[in-house]
mmCIF file of all heavy atoms in Angstrom:
data_model
loop_
_atom_site.group_PDB
_atom_site.id
_atom_site.type_symbol
_atom_site.label_atom_id
_atom_site.label_comp_id
_atom_site.label_asym_id
_atom_site.label_seq_id
_atom_site.Cartn_x
_atom_site.Cartn_y
_atom_site.Cartn_z
ATOM 1 N N ASN D 14 -3.371 3.542 -1.705
ATOM 2 C CA ASN D 14 -3.512 2.640 -2.836
ATOM 3 C C ASN D 14 -3.387 1.246 -2.242
ATOM 4 O O ASN D 14 -2.407 0.949 -1.568
ATOM 5 C CB ASN D 14 -2.429 2.882 -3.887
ATOM 6 C CG ASN D 14 -2.558 4.247 -4.519
ATOM 7 O OD1 ASN D 14 -3.661 4.760 -4.648
ATOM 8 N ND2 ASN D 14 -1.429 4.832 -4.894
ATOM 9 N N ASP D 19 -2.425 -3.524 3.999
ATOM 10 C CA ASP D 19 -3.359 -2.442 4.285
ATOM 11 C C ASP D 19 -3.488 -2.132 5.770
ATOM 12 O O ASP D 19 -3.501 -0.975 6.172
ATOM 13 C CB ASP D 19 -4.755 -2.765 3.732
ATOM 14 C CG ASP D 19 -4.810 -2.660 2.225
ATOM 15 O OD1 ASP D 19 -3.823 -2.164 1.645
ATOM 16 O OD2 ASP D 19 -5.832 -3.062 1.660
ATOM 17 N N PRO D 27 -2.458 7.664 11.173
ATOM 18 C CA PRO D 27 -2.701 8.553 12.325
ATOM 19 C C PRO D 27 -1.431 8.824 13.127
ATOM 20 O O PRO D 27 -1.235 9.922 13.638
ATOM 21 C CB PRO D 27 -3.727 7.795 13.171
ATOM 22 C CG PRO D 27 -4.339 6.801 12.261
ATOM 23 C CD PRO D 27 -3.320 6.484 11.230
ATOM 24 N N LEU D 52 13.748 39.520 20.569
ATOM 25 C CA LEU D 52 12.556 39.888 21.336
ATOM 26 C C LEU D 52 12.904 40.573 22.656
ATOM 27 O O LEU D 52 12.030 41.070 23.347
ATOM 28 C CB LEU D 52 11.709 38.645 21.622
ATOM 29 C CG LEU D 52 11.024 38.017 20.413
ATOM 30 C CD1 LEU D 52 10.434 36.666 20.784
ATOM 31 C CD2 LEU D 52 9.949 38.939 19.868
ATOM 32 N N PHE D 54 14.718 38.939 25.151
ATOM 33 C CA PHE D 54 14.897 37.936 26.196
ATOM 34 C C PHE D 54 16.232 37.240 25.962
ATOM 35 O O PHE D 54 16.360 36.415 25.083
ATOM 36 C CB PHE D 54 13.773 36.902 26.174
ATOM 37 C CG PHE D 54 12.418 37.500 26.388
ATOM 38 C CD1 PHE D 54 11.548 37.671 25.334
ATOM 39 C CD2 PHE D 54 12.027 37.890 27.648
ATOM 40 C CE1 PHE D 54 10.298 38.225 25.528
ATOM 41 C CE2 PHE D 54 10.772 38.441 27.864
ATOM 42 C CZ PHE D 54 9.920 38.610 26.803
ATOM 43 N N LEU D 57 19.858 34.158 31.190
ATOM 44 C CA LEU D 57 19.177 33.150 31.976
ATOM 45 C C LEU D 57 17.854 33.695 32.489
ATOM 46 O O LEU D 57 17.783 34.287 33.555
ATOM 47 C CB LEU D 57 20.066 32.723 33.156
ATOM 48 C CG LEU D 57 19.489 31.707 34.105
ATOM 49 C CD1 LEU D 57 19.276 30.378 33.388
ATOM 50 C CD2 LEU D 57 20.404 31.507 35.288
ATOM 51 N N CYS D 63 8.780 34.893 33.992
ATOM 52 C CA CYS D 63 7.688 35.159 33.046
ATOM 53 C C CYS D 63 6.361 35.260 33.784
ATOM 54 O O CYS D 63 5.499 36.064 33.422
ATOM 55 C CB CYS D 63 7.626 34.075 31.980
ATOM 56 S SG CYS D 63 9.117 33.964 30.971
ATOM 57 N N LYS D 81 8.387 31.246 25.730
ATOM 58 C CA LYS D 81 9.059 30.510 24.665
ATOM 59 C C LYS D 81 10.578 30.599 24.788
ATOM 60 O O LYS D 81 11.287 29.840 24.145
ATOM 61 C CB LYS D 81 8.631 31.045 23.301
ATOM 62 C CG LYS D 81 7.184 30.748 22.951
ATOM 63 C CD LYS D 81 6.804 31.386 21.648
ATOM 64 C CE LYS D 81 5.326 31.184 21.351
ATOM 65 N NZ LYS D 81 4.936 31.873 20.112
ATOM 66 N N GLU D 85 13.227 26.299 32.409
ATOM 67 C CA GLU D 85 12.380 25.774 33.477
ATOM 68 C C GLU D 85 13.071 25.939 34.826
ATOM 69 O O GLU D 85 14.276 25.775 34.940
ATOM 70 C CB GLU D 85 12.068 24.297 33.242
ATOM 71 C CG GLU D 85 11.143 24.051 32.064
ATOM 72 C CD GLU D 85 9.782 24.690 32.204
ATOM 73 O OE1 GLU D 85 9.244 24.749 33.337
ATOM 74 O OE2 GLU D 85 9.247 25.147 31.190
ATOM 75 N N SER D 90 16.321 26.589 41.919
ATOM 76 C CA SER D 90 16.977 27.434 40.932
ATOM 77 C C SER D 90 16.903 28.906 41.297
ATOM 78 O O SER D 90 17.824 29.659 41.037
ATOM 79 C CB SER D 90 16.380 27.209 39.550
ATOM 80 O OG SER D 90 15.012 27.561 39.535
ATOM 81 N N SER D 97 25.426 40.154 41.116
ATOM 82 C CA SER D 97 26.283 41.078 41.852
ATOM 83 C C SER D 97 25.826 42.516 41.654
ATOM 84 O O SER D 97 26.201 43.401 42.408
ATOM 85 C CB SER D 97 27.737 40.930 41.402
ATOM 86 O OG SER D 97 27.869 41.340 40.050
ATOM 87 N N ALA D 99 23.394 45.296 38.644
ATOM 88 C CA ALA D 99 22.622 45.432 37.419
ATOM 89 C C ALA D 99 22.985 46.745 36.741
ATOM 90 O O ALA D 99 23.408 47.706 37.397
ATOM 91 C CB ALA D 99 21.126 45.398 37.720
ATOM 92 N N LEU D 108 15.220 58.676 25.818
ATOM 93 C CA LEU D 108 14.627 58.720 27.163
ATOM 94 C C LEU D 108 13.276 59.424 27.187
ATOM 95 O O LEU D 108 12.405 59.054 27.958
ATOM 96 C CB LEU D 108 15.577 59.398 28.149
ATOM 97 C CG LEU D 108 16.505 58.481 28.908
ATOM 98 C CD1 LEU D 108 17.461 59.288 29.770
ATOM 99 C CD2 LEU D 108 15.753 57.477 29.738
ATOM 100 N N TYR D 111 10.301 57.264 27.213
ATOM 101 C CA TYR D 111 10.147 56.319 28.317
ATOM 102 C C TYR D 111 10.044 57.070 29.648
ATOM 103 O O TYR D 111 10.948 57.015 30.471
ATOM 104 C CB TYR D 111 11.325 55.333 28.339
ATOM 105 C CG TYR D 111 11.509 54.619 27.030
ATOM 106 C CD1 TYR D 111 12.550 54.950 26.170
ATOM 107 C CD2 TYR D 111 10.615 53.616 26.640
ATOM 108 C CE1 TYR D 111 12.708 54.288 24.962
ATOM 109 C CE2 TYR D 111 10.765 52.967 25.432
ATOM 110 C CZ TYR D 111 11.816 53.303 24.593
ATOM 111 O OH TYR D 111 11.972 52.661 23.397
ATOM 112 N N SER D 116 11.501 58.439 35.325
ATOM 113 C CA SER D 116 11.032 58.595 36.697
ATOM 114 C C SER D 116 11.813 57.694 37.643
ATOM 115 O O SER D 116 12.206 58.117 38.739
ATOM 116 C CB SER D 116 9.539 58.276 36.765
ATOM 117 O OG SER D 116 9.080 58.304 38.075
ATOM 118 N N GLU D 120 14.053 59.425 40.498
ATOM 119 C CA GLU D 120 13.459 59.389 41.831
ATOM 120 C C GLU D 120 13.737 58.131 42.649
ATOM 121 O O GLU D 120 13.652 58.167 43.869
ATOM 122 C CB GLU D 120 11.942 59.578 41.707
ATOM 123 C CG GLU D 120 11.564 60.906 41.062
ATOM 124 C CD GLU D 120 10.078 61.006 40.767
ATOM 125 O OE1 GLU D 120 9.287 60.330 41.458
ATOM 126 O OE2 GLU D 120 9.712 61.752 39.839
ATOM 127 N N PHE D 125 18.554 51.735 45.061
ATOM 128 C CA PHE D 125 19.141 50.515 44.521
ATOM 129 C C PHE D 125 20.606 50.786 44.170
ATOM 130 O O PHE D 125 20.942 50.989 42.998
ATOM 131 C CB PHE D 125 18.364 50.046 43.285
ATOM 132 C CG PHE D 125 16.909 49.788 43.565
ATOM 133 C CD1 PHE D 125 15.966 50.785 43.367
ATOM 134 C CD2 PHE D 125 16.497 48.559 44.039
ATOM 135 C CE1 PHE D 125 14.623 50.557 43.634
ATOM 136 C CE2 PHE D 125 15.158 48.320 44.305
ATOM 137 C CZ PHE D 125 14.218 49.320 44.108
ATOM 138 N N PRO D 126 21.487 50.790 45.173
ATOM 139 C CA PRO D 126 22.895 51.169 44.924
ATOM 140 C C PRO D 126 23.645 50.205 44.016
ATOM 141 O O PRO D 126 24.681 50.560 43.479
ATOM 142 C CB PRO D 126 23.500 51.176 46.331
ATOM 143 C CG PRO D 126 22.621 50.293 47.143
ATOM 144 C CD PRO D 126 21.245 50.442 46.560
ATOM 145 N N PRO D 137 17.407 50.216 23.475
ATOM 146 C CA PRO D 137 16.119 50.299 24.167
ATOM 147 C C PRO D 137 16.363 50.126 25.663
ATOM 148 O O PRO D 137 17.384 49.563 26.064
ATOM 149 C CB PRO D 137 15.341 49.113 23.602
ATOM 150 C CG PRO D 137 16.391 48.149 23.181
ATOM 151 C CD PRO D 137 17.578 48.962 22.744
ATOM 152 N N LEU D 140 17.427 46.092 31.539
ATOM 153 C CA LEU D 140 18.212 45.780 32.727
ATOM 154 C C LEU D 140 19.151 44.642 32.372
ATOM 155 O O LEU D 140 18.718 43.600 31.884
ATOM 156 C CB LEU D 140 17.303 45.359 33.883
ATOM 157 C CG LEU D 140 16.527 46.471 34.557
ATOM 158 C CD1 LEU D 140 15.478 45.893 35.493
ATOM 159 C CD2 LEU D 140 17.472 47.381 35.319
ATOM 160 N N MET D 142 21.532 42.134 34.082
ATOM 161 C CA MET D 142 21.869 41.549 35.377
ATOM 162 C C MET D 142 23.277 40.982 35.297
ATOM 163 O O MET D 142 23.626 40.301 34.325
ATOM 164 C CB MET D 142 20.868 40.462 35.749
ATOM 165 C CG MET D 142 19.402 40.882 35.578
ATOM 166 S SD MET D 142 18.956 42.347 36.497
ATOM 167 C CE MET D 142 18.745 41.627 38.088
ATOM 168 N N THR D 152 19.524 39.614 30.463
ATOM 169 C CA THR D 152 19.114 40.927 29.970
ATOM 170 C C THR D 152 17.599 40.928 29.813
ATOM 171 O O THR D 152 17.045 40.015 29.214
ATOM 172 C CB THR D 152 19.787 41.252 28.629
ATOM 173 O OG1 THR D 152 21.199 41.203 28.798
ATOM 174 C CG2 THR D 152 19.380 42.627 28.134
ATOM 175 N N LEU D 167 13.531 44.537 40.822
ATOM 176 C CA LEU D 167 14.848 44.628 41.443
ATOM 177 C C LEU D 167 14.821 44.168 42.900
ATOM 178 O O LEU D 167 15.778 43.572 43.381
ATOM 179 C CB LEU D 167 15.379 46.063 41.342
ATOM 180 C CG LEU D 167 15.755 46.505 39.922
ATOM 181 C CD1 LEU D 167 16.051 47.999 39.888
ATOM 182 C CD2 LEU D 167 16.926 45.699 39.388
ATOM 183 N N PHE D 175 24.790 43.693 50.276
ATOM 184 C CA PHE D 175 25.551 44.856 49.836
ATOM 185 C C PHE D 175 25.674 45.847 50.970
ATOM 186 O O PHE D 175 24.786 45.981 51.806
ATOM 187 C CB PHE D 175 24.856 45.532 48.649
ATOM 188 C CG PHE D 175 24.949 44.716 47.397
ATOM 189 C CD1 PHE D 175 23.993 43.760 47.100
ATOM 190 C CD2 PHE D 175 26.009 44.881 46.531
ATOM 191 C CE1 PHE D 175 24.087 42.998 45.954
ATOM 192 C CE2 PHE D 175 26.109 44.122 45.373
ATOM 193 C CZ PHE D 175 25.146 43.184 45.098
ATOM 194 N N ASN D 176 26.776 46.583 50.971
ATOM 195 C CA ASN D 176 26.933 47.640 51.967
ATOM 196 C C ASN D 176 26.350 48.935 51.404
ATOM 197 O O ASN D 176 25.767 48.959 50.331
ATOM 198 C CB ASN D 176 28.421 47.802 52.360
ATOM 199 C CG ASN D 176 29.309 48.205 51.192
ATOM 200 O OD1 ASN D 176 28.840 48.754 50.201
ATOM 201 N ND2 ASN D 176 30.583 47.937 51.312
#
Side-chain angles (χ1 to χ4, degrees):
N14 295 328
D19 287 350
L52 291 170
F54 300 104
L57 178 65
C63 298
K81 291 176 185 177
E85 290 299 324
S90 62
S97 66
L108 267 176
Y111 305 106
S116 175
E120 300 172 26
F125 302 93
L140 286 169
M142 312 303 280
T152 302
L167 290 171
F175 289 89
N176 62 22

